Amino acid sequence: MSNERLIYMALGGAGEIGMNAYVYGYGKPGEERLILVDLGVAFPDMDSTPGVDLIFADVSWLKERRDRLEAIFVTHAHEDHVGAVALCHADLRAPVYARPFTANLARRKMEERGQPQDAVREVAPWPETITAGPFTVSFAPISHSIPESNGLVIDSPAGRVVHSGDFKIDPEPIVGEPFDPDLWSAIAKPGVKALICDSTNVFSTHPGRSESELGPAITKLVAQAEGMVVATTFASNVARVKTLAEAGERAGRSVVLLGRAMRRMIEASIETGVLVDFPSVIGPEEAQDIPREHVMLIVTGSQGERRAASAQLARGKYRGMELKEGDLFLFSSKTIPGNEKGVIAIMNQLSEKGVDVVDDSSGLYHVSGHANRPDLERMHEIVAPQMVIPMHGEHRHLREHARLAEANGRAGVVAVNGMMLDLSGNAPKVVEYVETGRTYLDGSVQVGALDGVVRDRIRMALNGHVTVTVILDEEDEPLGEPWCDTMGLPETGSSKAELVEVMEEDLNQFLLRADPKTLRDDGKLEEALRRIARQTAQTEIGRKPEVTVVISRMR
């Protein structure tokens, strides 16, 4: 009996939405040759990750084993699947395989980060295969909300595994390949050991709707509008952007694309041939010379992003364009949980301008890119795996998806980030737990979640900051009084005196009575000054700020 095994483990994306990173391995325990499926990002928020630009999985475990990492396979071009490829390439140095559209965007990211573009290799779809160590991998076209999405067919000596990627069952996606049940039946024919499957919409009990159903309702809405029309959607949903642009064209409007991501996606789609017959567009400069009732803007920022075109239009002008009373703003998108506050703020700002806001509460102007519960069941039936491993979802999604699989007689398991499964037998078996975490892109540097940078930033945001400066002479005696600089704190406290003055007086009183041993020891002195500054602030304003102590000695 072979002592080699087939393993699966998520470093990100299992128990959360975003920063997908899934490891497969085959070989003797501890010696497995590895492949990575997807390497994406999640996006920060001001409450938990202030100032952070992007969040992605900690790949330290893989970096330590990069001599065993054969390749990275990217299922599609959404940021939560491809966004960290360039950020991690210097650490992993593995070839990246993707279909042409995804490869186009991945190479742009590599160029932006100073990484080699030739590390990204284009591949053809099923039945073409790529050999990566003990694995043979094929990209199987599947419908989703971005062109050229794929599931992966992963063969190893232990059997066939299907990694669904993000998907929906859509026979008419407008742009991109439709769901082909015959193709997936052919993939399933030799037998599938495990289906690692998208869980996002497991709680949606109605069958999913096709992208092609939206055209008539959007066309009618745009045709009836009297002022300028603005529509926002996910820039990556090229099919939706095309539907919106065609609605504008049919209404006799000139179409303008606003936002870097929107233009980049359309350019990449046209360059790679996945998008044809897209309506002609004009620039914002030209649009300013056209009556506003003959203009339609398609803009970025459907999730309330502060710097995106939607937010800037809501606050004032963007690229010379300005919204006025009687204009129409359509959110052709679903608000991702956690983004509601930003989206609602934009809607209210638009309302204050007299703009009519239309969202997706009617269900007429948006369809999801993920399979609903009945479609997940259909995928299970077509692929007919021995076991189902839910991924791409919060814990409640994974748990419900595992229950769904078990209710239909298939083995299922909830495998969160860091849980390594052995898939070699007839049921998944937990064999190891690996420590996983997050990495933050903070400006131009990467910091670990446990490095304390973001934690300290949150503390300063909540409690303010004080800098205490003390000068000591050659005899280790205070030279003058200490002084304080504050940030993010009120000027006066409960005593009605200036907070800085009260703090400086308390610190000075301590220095005057401090023993020589304390004054000679920078560590003890710093600790004491910090404690007194915080105690004074607590008494005066009810907060204990972060304190930085600067001690200068005249030698």
Side-chain angles (χ1 to χ4, degrees), residues 200-235:
T200 311
N201 282 356
V202 68
F203 289 108
S204 298
T205 56
H206 54 83
R209 296 160 57 215
S210 172
E211 185 69 33
S212 61
E213 296 178 26
L214 298 180
I218 291 175
T219 298
K220 182 178 179 181
L221 179 71
V222 175
Q224 292 177 343
E226 295 182 358
M228 186 163 65
V229 174
V230 184
T232 185
T233 189
F234 299 98

PDB file of all heavy atoms in Angstrom, residues 200-235:
ATOM      1  N   THR A 200     -20.727  30.510  -1.635  1.00  0.00           N
ATOM      2  CA  THR A 200     -21.187  31.876  -1.370  1.00  0.00           C
ATOM      3  C   THR A 200     -22.695  31.988  -1.205  1.00  0.00           C
ATOM      4  O   THR A 200     -23.185  32.643  -0.284  1.00  0.00           O
ATOM      5  CB  THR A 200     -20.723  32.809  -2.506  1.00  0.00           C
ATOM      6  OG1 THR A 200     -19.338  32.599  -2.758  1.00  0.00           O
ATOM      7  CG2 THR A 200     -20.969  34.252  -2.149  1.00  0.00           C
ATOM      8  N   ASN A 201     -23.465  31.370  -2.104  1.00  0.00           N
ATOM      9  CA  ASN A 201     -24.920  31.565  -2.120  1.00  0.00           C
ATOM     10  C   ASN A 201     -25.693  30.341  -1.646  1.00  0.00           C
ATOM     11  O   ASN A 201     -26.832  30.121  -2.047  1.00  0.00           O
ATOM     12  CB  ASN A 201     -25.387  31.938  -3.537  1.00  0.00           C
ATOM     13  CG  ASN A 201     -25.114  33.381  -3.884  1.00  0.00           C
ATOM     14  OD1 ASN A 201     -24.640  34.152  -3.056  1.00  0.00           O
ATOM     15  ND2 ASN A 201     -25.391  33.765  -5.115  1.00  0.00           N
ATOM     16  N   VAL A 202     -25.105  29.546  -0.751  1.00  0.00           N
ATOM     17  CA  VAL A 202     -25.760  28.311  -0.311  1.00  0.00           C
ATOM     18  C   VAL A 202     -27.079  28.587   0.403  1.00  0.00           C
ATOM     19  O   VAL A 202     -27.968  27.724   0.431  1.00  0.00           O
ATOM     20  CB  VAL A 202     -24.802  27.487   0.579  1.00  0.00           C
ATOM     21  CG1 VAL A 202     -24.545  28.193   1.898  1.00  0.00           C
ATOM     22  CG2 VAL A 202     -25.319  26.079   0.793  1.00  0.00           C
ATOM     23  N   PHE A 203     -27.253  29.779   0.953  1.00  0.00           N
ATOM     24  CA  PHE A 203     -28.498  30.094   1.655  1.00  0.00           C
ATOM     25  C   PHE A 203     -29.580  30.659   0.731  1.00  0.00           C
ATOM     26  O   PHE A 203     -30.705  30.889   1.165  1.00  0.00           O
ATOM     27  CB  PHE A 203     -28.232  31.096   2.785  1.00  0.00           C
ATOM     28  CG  PHE A 203     -27.469  30.514   3.946  1.00  0.00           C
ATOM     29  CD1 PHE A 203     -26.155  30.865   4.178  1.00  0.00           C
ATOM     30  CD2 PHE A 203     -28.076  29.601   4.802  1.00  0.00           C
ATOM     31  CE1 PHE A 203     -25.445  30.333   5.244  1.00  0.00           C
ATOM     32  CE2 PHE A 203     -27.378  29.062   5.879  1.00  0.00           C
ATOM     33  CZ  PHE A 203     -26.063  29.421   6.098  1.00  0.00           C
ATOM     34  N   SER A 204     -29.249  30.909  -0.539  1.00  0.00           N
ATOM     35  CA  SER A 204     -30.247  31.414  -1.497  1.00  0.00           C
ATOM     36  C   SER A 204     -30.982  30.219  -2.096  1.00  0.00           C
ATOM     37  O   SER A 204     -30.409  29.447  -2.862  1.00  0.00           O
ATOM     38  CB  SER A 204     -29.573  32.230  -2.603  1.00  0.00           C
ATOM     39  OG  SER A 204     -28.929  33.364  -2.063  1.00  0.00           O
ATOM     40  N   THR A 205     -32.249  30.078  -1.760  1.00  0.00           N
ATOM     41  CA  THR A 205     -32.981  28.842  -2.073  1.00  0.00           C
ATOM     42  C   THR A 205     -33.594  28.804  -3.468  1.00  0.00           C
ATOM     43  O   THR A 205     -34.036  27.744  -3.909  1.00  0.00           O
ATOM     44  CB  THR A 205     -34.093  28.617  -1.031  1.00  0.00           C
ATOM     45  OG1 THR A 205     -34.943  29.767  -1.004  1.00  0.00           O
ATOM     46  CG2 THR A 205     -33.490  28.412   0.358  1.00  0.00           C
ATOM     47  N   HIS A 206     -33.620  29.941  -4.170  1.00  0.00           N
ATOM     48  CA  HIS A 206     -34.221  29.946  -5.513  1.00  0.00           C
ATOM     49  C   HIS A 206     -33.142  29.709  -6.554  1.00  0.00           C
ATOM     50  O   HIS A 206     -31.965  30.052  -6.336  1.00  0.00           O
ATOM     51  CB  HIS A 206     -34.925  31.274  -5.791  1.00  0.00           C
ATOM     52  CG  HIS A 206     -34.045  32.474  -5.583  1.00  0.00           C
ATOM     53  ND1 HIS A 206     -33.160  32.943  -6.537  1.00  0.00           N
ATOM     54  CD2 HIS A 206     -33.894  33.289  -4.513  1.00  0.00           C
ATOM     55  CE1 HIS A 206     -32.513  33.984  -6.079  1.00  0.00           C
ATOM     56  NE2 HIS A 206     -32.931  34.225  -4.849  1.00  0.00           N
ATOM     57  N   PRO A 207     -33.472  29.145  -7.709  1.00  0.00           N
ATOM     58  CA  PRO A 207     -32.465  28.941  -8.758  1.00  0.00           C
ATOM     59  C   PRO A 207     -31.860  30.272  -9.205  1.00  0.00           C
ATOM     60  O   PRO A 207     -32.528  31.309  -9.190  1.00  0.00           O
ATOM     61  CB  PRO A 207     -33.261  28.281  -9.898  1.00  0.00           C
ATOM     62  CG  PRO A 207     -34.455  27.688  -9.230  1.00  0.00           C
ATOM     63  CD  PRO A 207     -34.788  28.603  -8.093  1.00  0.00           C
ATOM     64  N   GLY A 208     -30.594  30.247  -9.594  1.00  0.00           N
ATOM     65  CA  GLY A 208     -29.933  31.466 -10.059  1.00  0.00           C
ATOM     66  C   GLY A 208     -30.519  31.960 -11.373  1.00  0.00           C
ATOM     67  O   GLY A 208     -31.087  31.198 -12.149  1.00  0.00           O
ATOM     68  N   ARG A 209     -30.394  33.262 -11.608  1.00  0.00           N
ATOM     69  CA  ARG A 209     -30.901  33.863 -12.833  1.00  0.00           C
ATOM     70  C   ARG A 209     -29.744  34.168 -13.775  1.00  0.00           C
ATOM     71  O   ARG A 209     -28.622  34.399 -13.355  1.00  0.00           O
ATOM     72  CB  ARG A 209     -31.661  35.151 -12.509  1.00  0.00           C
ATOM     73  CG  ARG A 209     -32.913  34.916 -11.676  1.00  0.00           C
ATOM     74  CD  ARG A 209     -33.357  36.180 -10.965  1.00  0.00           C
ATOM     75  NE  ARG A 209     -33.583  37.266 -11.913  1.00  0.00           N
ATOM     76  CZ  ARG A 209     -33.315  38.535 -11.651  1.00  0.00           C
ATOM     77  NH1 ARG A 209     -32.786  38.881 -10.502  1.00  0.00           N
ATOM     78  NH2 ARG A 209     -33.567  39.459 -12.554  1.00  0.00           N
ATOM     79  N   SER A 210     -30.061  34.206 -15.062  1.00  0.00           N
ATOM     80  CA  SER A 210     -29.047  34.444 -16.081  1.00  0.00           C
ATOM     81  C   SER A 210     -28.772  35.929 -16.243  1.00  0.00           C
ATOM     82  O   SER A 210     -29.667  36.777 -16.091  1.00  0.00           O
ATOM     83  CB  SER A 210     -29.512  33.867 -17.420  1.00  0.00           C
ATOM     84  OG  SER A 210     -28.637  34.254 -18.463  1.00  0.00           O
ATOM     85  N   GLU A 211     -27.538  36.239 -16.588  1.00  0.00           N
ATOM     86  CA  GLU A 211     -27.140  37.618 -16.886  1.00  0.00           C
ATOM     87  C   GLU A 211     -27.985  38.188 -18.033  1.00  0.00           C
ATOM     88  O   GLU A 211     -28.285  39.386 -18.062  1.00  0.00           O
ATOM     89  CB  GLU A 211     -25.657  37.642 -17.260  1.00  0.00           C
ATOM     90  CG  GLU A 211     -25.068  39.012 -17.474  1.00  0.00           C
ATOM     91  CD  GLU A 211     -24.956  39.839 -16.198  1.00  0.00           C
ATOM     92  OE1 GLU A 211     -24.735  39.255 -15.117  1.00  0.00           O
ATOM     93  OE2 GLU A 211     -25.104  41.074 -16.292  1.00  0.00           O
ATOM     94  N   SER A 212     -28.398  37.325 -18.943  1.00  0.00           N
ATOM     95  CA  SER A 212     -29.146  37.778 -20.125  1.00  0.00           C
ATOM     96  C   SER A 212     -30.545  38.282 -19.794  1.00  0.00           C
ATOM     97  O   SER A 212     -31.187  38.924 -20.625  1.00  0.00           O
ATOM     98  CB  SER A 212     -29.247  36.639 -21.147  1.00  0.00           C
ATOM     99  OG  SER A 212     -29.941  35.536 -20.590  1.00  0.00           O
ATOM    100  N   GLU A 213     -31.024  38.018 -18.580  1.00  0.00           N
ATOM    101  CA  GLU A 213     -32.379  38.453 -18.208  1.00  0.00           C
ATOM    102  C   GLU A 213     -32.464  39.941 -17.887  1.00  0.00           C
ATOM    103  O   GLU A 213     -33.562  40.503 -17.819  1.00  0.00           O
ATOM    104  CB  GLU A 213     -32.866  37.652 -16.986  1.00  0.00           C
ATOM    105  CG  GLU A 213     -33.021  36.162 -17.230  1.00  0.00           C
ATOM    106  CD  GLU A 213     -33.467  35.421 -15.969  1.00  0.00           C
ATOM    107  OE1 GLU A 213     -34.111  36.059 -15.116  1.00  0.00           O
ATOM    108  OE2 GLU A 213     -33.168  34.219 -15.839  1.00  0.00           O
ATOM    109  N   LEU A 214     -31.342  40.597 -17.688  1.00  0.00           N
ATOM    110  CA  LEU A 214     -31.354  41.973 -17.193  1.00  0.00           C
ATOM    111  C   LEU A 214     -31.553  43.025 -18.278  1.00  0.00           C
ATOM    112  O   LEU A 214     -32.008  44.131 -17.982  1.00  0.00           O
ATOM    113  CB  LEU A 214     -30.032  42.271 -16.472  1.00  0.00           C
ATOM    114  CG  LEU A 214     -29.712  41.422 -15.233  1.00  0.00           C
ATOM    115  CD1 LEU A 214     -28.370  41.844 -14.658  1.00  0.00           C
ATOM    116  CD2 LEU A 214     -30.809  41.565 -14.188  1.00  0.00           C
ATOM    117  N   GLY A 215     -31.189  42.698 -19.509  1.00  0.00           N
ATOM    118  CA  GLY A 215     -31.186  43.686 -20.577  1.00  0.00           C
ATOM    119  C   GLY A 215     -32.479  44.479 -20.721  1.00  0.00           C
ATOM    120  O   GLY A 215     -32.452  45.724 -20.731  1.00  0.00           O
ATOM    121  N   PRO A 216     -33.638  43.825 -20.835  1.00  0.00           N
ATOM    122  CA  PRO A 216     -34.887  44.576 -21.049  1.00  0.00           C
ATOM    123  C   PRO A 216     -35.200  45.577 -19.949  1.00  0.00           C
ATOM    124  O   PRO A 216     -35.580  46.722 -20.231  1.00  0.00           O
ATOM    125  CB  PRO A 216     -35.939  43.462 -21.116  1.00  0.00           C
ATOM    126  CG  PRO A 216     -35.187  42.253 -21.594  1.00  0.00           C
ATOM    127  CD  PRO A 216     -33.837  42.368 -20.968  1.00  0.00           C
ATOM    128  N   ALA A 217     -35.028  45.189 -18.676  1.00  0.00           N
ATOM    129  CA  ALA A 217     -35.360  46.093 -17.568  1.00  0.00           C
ATOM    130  C   ALA A 217     -34.407  47.290 -17.528  1.00  0.00           C
ATOM    131  O   ALA A 217     -34.844  48.431 -17.310  1.00  0.00           O
ATOM    132  CB  ALA A 217     -35.317  45.340 -16.243  1.00  0.00           C
ATOM    133  N   ILE A 218     -33.119  47.047 -17.737  1.00  0.00           N
ATOM    134  CA  ILE A 218     -32.150  48.150 -17.731  1.00  0.00           C
ATOM    135  C   ILE A 218     -32.393  49.076 -18.907  1.00  0.00           C
ATOM    136  O   ILE A 218     -32.353  50.311 -18.778  1.00  0.00           O
ATOM    137  CB  ILE A 218     -30.710  47.595 -17.742  1.00  0.00           C
ATOM    138  CG1 ILE A 218     -30.396  46.913 -16.403  1.00  0.00           C
ATOM    139  CG2 ILE A 218     -29.697  48.708 -18.021  1.00  0.00           C
ATOM    140  CD1 ILE A 218     -29.045  46.232 -16.349  1.00  0.00           C
ATOM    141  N   THR A 219     -32.680  48.505 -20.081  1.00  0.00           N
ATOM    142  CA  THR A 219     -32.949  49.309 -21.275  1.00  0.00           C
ATOM    143  C   THR A 219     -34.164  50.213 -21.051  1.00  0.00           C
ATOM    144  O   THR A 219     -34.143  51.410 -21.400  1.00  0.00           O
ATOM    145  CB  THR A 219     -33.183  48.396 -22.490  1.00  0.00           C
ATOM    146  OG1 THR A 219     -31.999  47.637 -22.739  1.00  0.00           O
ATOM    147  CG2 THR A 219     -33.532  49.210 -23.727  1.00  0.00           C
ATOM    148  N   LYS A 220     -35.215  49.674 -20.450  1.00  0.00           N
ATOM    149  CA  LYS A 220     -36.428  50.456 -20.184  1.00  0.00           C
ATOM    150  C   LYS A 220     -36.148  51.593 -19.210  1.00  0.00           C
ATOM    151  O   LYS A 220     -36.591  52.726 -19.405  1.00  0.00           O
ATOM    152  CB  LYS A 220     -37.509  49.533 -19.624  1.00  0.00           C
ATOM    153  CG  LYS A 220     -38.832  50.234 -19.343  1.00  0.00           C
ATOM    154  CD  LYS A 220     -39.880  49.245 -18.821  1.00  0.00           C
ATOM    155  CE  LYS A 220     -41.188  49.960 -18.514  1.00  0.00           C
ATOM    156  NZ  LYS A 220     -42.211  49.009 -17.971  1.00  0.00           N
ATOM    157  N   LEU A 221     -35.386  51.297 -18.153  1.00  0.00           N
ATOM    158  CA  LEU A 221     -35.077  52.315 -17.150  1.00  0.00           C
ATOM    159  C   LEU A 221     -34.298  53.469 -17.767  1.00  0.00           C
ATOM    160  O   LEU A 221     -34.618  54.644 -17.536  1.00  0.00           O
ATOM    161  CB  LEU A 221     -34.266  51.683 -16.012  1.00  0.00           C
ATOM    162  CG  LEU A 221     -33.841  52.623 -14.883  1.00  0.00           C
ATOM    163  CD1 LEU A 221     -35.049  53.016 -14.041  1.00  0.00           C
ATOM    164  CD2 LEU A 221     -32.777  51.969 -14.007  1.00  0.00           C
ATOM    165  N   VAL A 222     -33.291  53.161 -18.563  1.00  0.00           N
ATOM    166  CA  VAL A 222     -32.457  54.204 -19.173  1.00  0.00           C
ATOM    167  C   VAL A 222     -33.266  55.010 -20.191  1.00  0.00           C
ATOM    168  O   VAL A 222     -33.146  56.240 -20.272  1.00  0.00           O
ATOM    169  CB  VAL A 222     -31.205  53.576 -19.829  1.00  0.00           C
ATOM    170  CG1 VAL A 222     -30.394  54.635 -20.576  1.00  0.00           C
ATOM    171  CG2 VAL A 222     -30.332  52.898 -18.779  1.00  0.00           C
ATOM    172  N   ALA A 223     -34.110  54.342 -20.942  1.00  0.00           N
ATOM    173  CA  ALA A 223     -34.906  55.025 -21.974  1.00  0.00           C
ATOM    174  C   ALA A 223     -35.882  56.024 -21.364  1.00  0.00           C
ATOM    175  O   ALA A 223     -36.184  57.061 -21.969  1.00  0.00           O
ATOM    176  CB  ALA A 223     -35.662  53.990 -22.806  1.00  0.00           C
ATOM    177  N   GLN A 224     -36.368  55.735 -20.157  1.00  0.00           N
ATOM    178  CA  GLN A 224     -37.369  56.604 -19.532  1.00  0.00           C
ATOM    179  C   GLN A 224     -36.753  57.756 -18.749  1.00  0.00           C
ATOM    180  O   GLN A 224     -37.462  58.681 -18.345  1.00  0.00           O
ATOM    181  CB  GLN A 224     -38.263  55.772 -18.598  1.00  0.00           C
ATOM    182  CG  GLN A 224     -39.152  54.780 -19.337  1.00  0.00           C
ATOM    183  CD  GLN A 224     -39.968  53.908 -18.388  1.00  0.00           C
ATOM    184  OE1 GLN A 224     -39.661  53.805 -17.197  1.00  0.00           O
ATOM    185  NE2 GLN A 224     -41.015  53.279 -18.913  1.00  0.00           N
ATOM    186  N   ALA A 225     -35.456  57.705 -18.526  1.00  0.00           N
ATOM    187  CA  ALA A 225     -34.798  58.751 -17.735  1.00  0.00           C
ATOM    188  C   ALA A 225     -34.776  60.073 -18.493  1.00  0.00           C
ATOM    189  O   ALA A 225     -34.618  60.106 -19.713  1.00  0.00           O
ATOM    190  CB  ALA A 225     -33.376  58.313 -17.389  1.00  0.00           C
ATOM    191  N   GLU A 226     -34.907  61.174 -17.753  1.00  0.00           N
ATOM    192  CA  GLU A 226     -34.971  62.485 -18.395  1.00  0.00           C
ATOM    193  C   GLU A 226     -33.646  63.241 -18.334  1.00  0.00           C
ATOM    194  O   GLU A 226     -33.304  63.974 -19.252  1.00  0.00           O
ATOM    195  CB  GLU A 226     -36.083  63.315 -17.747  1.00  0.00           C
ATOM    196  CG  GLU A 226     -37.467  62.709 -17.979  1.00  0.00           C
ATOM    197  CD  GLU A 226     -38.577  63.551 -17.377  1.00  0.00           C
ATOM    198  OE1 GLU A 226     -38.259  64.586 -16.745  1.00  0.00           O
ATOM    199  OE2 GLU A 226     -39.761  63.180 -17.526  1.00  0.00           O
ATOM    200  N   GLY A 227     -32.919  63.109 -17.256  1.00  0.00           N
ATOM    201  CA  GLY A 227     -31.636  63.811 -17.135  1.00  0.00           C
ATOM    202  C   GLY A 227     -30.489  62.907 -17.538  1.00  0.00           C
ATOM    203  O   GLY A 227     -30.648  61.955 -18.316  1.00  0.00           O
ATOM    204  N   MET A 228     -29.313  63.194 -17.003  1.00  0.00           N
ATOM    205  CA  MET A 228     -28.166  62.339 -17.249  1.00  0.00           C
ATOM    206  C   MET A 228     -28.343  61.039 -16.464  1.00  0.00           C
ATOM    207  O   MET A 228     -28.920  61.025 -15.384  1.00  0.00           O
ATOM    208  CB  MET A 228     -26.876  63.043 -16.827  1.00  0.00           C
ATOM    209  CG  MET A 228     -25.613  62.282 -17.182  1.00  0.00           C
ATOM    210  SD  MET A 228     -24.115  63.329 -17.137  1.00  0.00           S
ATOM    211  CE  MET A 228     -24.030  63.740 -15.395  1.00  0.00           C
ATOM    212  N   VAL A 229     -27.852  59.956 -17.038  1.00  0.00           N
ATOM    213  CA  VAL A 229     -27.916  58.655 -16.377  1.00  0.00           C
ATOM    214  C   VAL A 229     -26.503  58.234 -15.986  1.00  0.00           C
ATOM    215  O   VAL A 229     -25.573  58.332 -16.780  1.00  0.00           O
ATOM    216  CB  VAL A 229     -28.547  57.574 -17.289  1.00  0.00           C
ATOM    217  CG1 VAL A 229     -28.458  56.198 -16.630  1.00  0.00           C
ATOM    218  CG2 VAL A 229     -29.992  57.924 -17.599  1.00  0.00           C
ATOM    219  N   VAL A 230     -26.361  57.777 -14.747  1.00  0.00           N
ATOM    220  CA  VAL A 230     -25.099  57.211 -14.271  1.00  0.00           C
ATOM    221  C   VAL A 230     -25.406  55.814 -13.744  1.00  0.00           C
ATOM    222  O   VAL A 230     -26.393  55.610 -13.029  1.00  0.00           O
ATOM    223  CB  VAL A 230     -24.468  58.054 -13.146  1.00  0.00           C
ATOM    224  CG1 VAL A 230     -23.109  57.482 -12.760  1.00  0.00           C
ATOM    225  CG2 VAL A 230     -24.352  59.501 -13.570  1.00  0.00           C
ATOM    226  N   ALA A 231     -24.587  54.841 -14.105  1.00  0.00           N
ATOM    227  CA  ALA A 231     -24.757  53.476 -13.606  1.00  0.00           C
ATOM    228  C   ALA A 231     -23.425  52.979 -13.071  1.00  0.00           C
ATOM    229  O   ALA A 231     -22.371  53.235 -13.666  1.00  0.00           O
ATOM    230  CB  ALA A 231     -25.252  52.546 -14.716  1.00  0.00           C
ATOM    231  N   THR A 232     -23.485  52.288 -11.956  1.00  0.00           N
ATOM    232  CA  THR A 232     -22.271  51.687 -11.413  1.00  0.00           C
ATOM    233  C   THR A 232     -22.480  50.190 -11.234  1.00  0.00           C
ATOM    234  O   THR A 232     -23.580  49.736 -10.919  1.00  0.00           O
ATOM    235  CB  THR A 232     -21.858  52.331 -10.075  1.00  0.00           C
ATOM    236  OG1 THR A 232     -20.605  51.778  -9.656  1.00  0.00           O
ATOM    237  CG2 THR A 232     -22.887  52.092  -8.980  1.00  0.00           C
ATOM    238  N   THR A 233     -21.408  49.441 -11.468  1.00  0.00           N
ATOM    239  CA  THR A 233     -21.418  47.997 -11.274  1.00  0.00           C
ATOM    240  C   THR A 233     -19.975  47.577 -11.026  1.00  0.00           C
ATOM    241  O   THR A 233     -19.059  48.400 -11.047  1.00  0.00           O
ATOM    242  CB  THR A 233     -22.009  47.264 -12.490  1.00  0.00           C
ATOM    243  OG1 THR A 233     -22.188  45.878 -12.161  1.00  0.00           O
ATOM    244  CG2 THR A 233     -21.108  47.382 -13.718  1.00  0.00           C
ATOM    245  N   PHE A 234     -19.755  46.301 -10.752  1.00  0.00           N
ATOM    246  CA  PHE A 234     -18.389  45.806 -10.621  1.00  0.00           C
ATOM    247  C   PHE A 234     -17.687  45.965 -11.973  1.00  0.00           C
ATOM    248  O   PHE A 234     -18.192  45.492 -12.990  1.00  0.00           O
ATOM    249  CB  PHE A 234     -18.391  44.331 -10.217  1.00  0.00           C
ATOM    250  CG  PHE A 234     -19.061  44.069  -8.894  1.00  0.00           C
ATOM    251  CD1 PHE A 234     -20.373  43.634  -8.837  1.00  0.00           C
ATOM    252  CD2 PHE A 234     -18.374  44.257  -7.702  1.00  0.00           C
ATOM    253  CE1 PHE A 234     -20.995  43.389  -7.623  1.00  0.00           C
ATOM    254  CE2 PHE A 234     -18.985  44.016  -6.482  1.00  0.00           C
ATOM    255  CZ  PHE A 234     -20.294  43.585  -6.436  1.00  0.00           C
ATOM    256  N   ALA A 235     -16.536  46.591 -11.976  1.00  0.00           N
ATOM    257  CA  ALA A 235     -15.815  46.810 -13.231  1.00  0.00           C
ATOM    258  C   ALA A 235     -15.499  45.494 -13.923  1.00  0.00           C
ATOM    259  O   ALA A 235     -15.469  45.415 -15.162  1.00  0.00           O
ATOM    260  CB  ALA A 235     -14.524  47.582 -12.963  1.00  0.00           C
TER     261      ALA A 235
END
